[in-house]
Amino acid sequence: MHSMKYLNGVLTVLAVVLTLNLWVALTDSDTAASDRLTMTQQAHAQAAGPPNSAQQRREMIDAIKQTNTQLAELKSLLTSGEVRVRAELPARDDAGE
């Protein structure tokens, strides 16, 4: 009986959400819909156009510079002695093998 009440509650919530979604879709202004359409068309036009290899190279170089900076910070932290790293071999259980 308790599960039936839960199911009815969940179905009611879903019905309300779907109703609100339909209401928003129907009452949305035409200008907002046309704005979304033009933004979608712009995205497709940019995706369909030739790739800007110079921009891609700049982005890759910036990412490499950022990685180098982070590695330099990590190296300075490790060489300063503030961080100690200790490597251990995992314990082997020869009895189980």
Side-chain angles (χ1 to χ4, degrees), residues 3 7 13-14 18-19 33-35 37-38 43 49 53 55 63 66 71 74 78 82:
S3 64
L7 179 63
V13 169
L14 286 174
L18 288 173
T19 303
S34 65
D35 288 344
L37 184 61
T38 57
S53 59
Q55 177 65 26
Q66 183 180 10
L71 283 174
L74 184 59
L78 290 173
E82 294 179 32

Side-chain angles (χ1 to χ4, degrees), residues 37-66:
L37 184 61
T38 57
M39 288 173 47
T40 305
Q41 289 171 344
Q42 289 174 358
H44 286 296
Q46 289 175 353
N52 186 348
S53 59
Q55 177 65 26
Q56 289 175 346
R57 286 188 195 109
R58 281 192 293 271
E59 290 172 2
M60 288 172 53
I61 290 171
D62 290 341
I64 291 170
K65 286 179 181 178
Q66 183 180 10

Side-chain angles (χ1 to χ4, degrees), residues 66-86:
Q66 183 180 10
T67 302
N68 286 342
T69 303
Q70 291 173 346
L71 283 174
E73 291 173 1
L74 184 59
K75 179 183 175 187
S76 66
L77 182 65
L78 290 173
T79 57
S80 69
E82 294 179 32
V83 176
R84 294 183 189 265
V85 178
R86 188 175 81 191

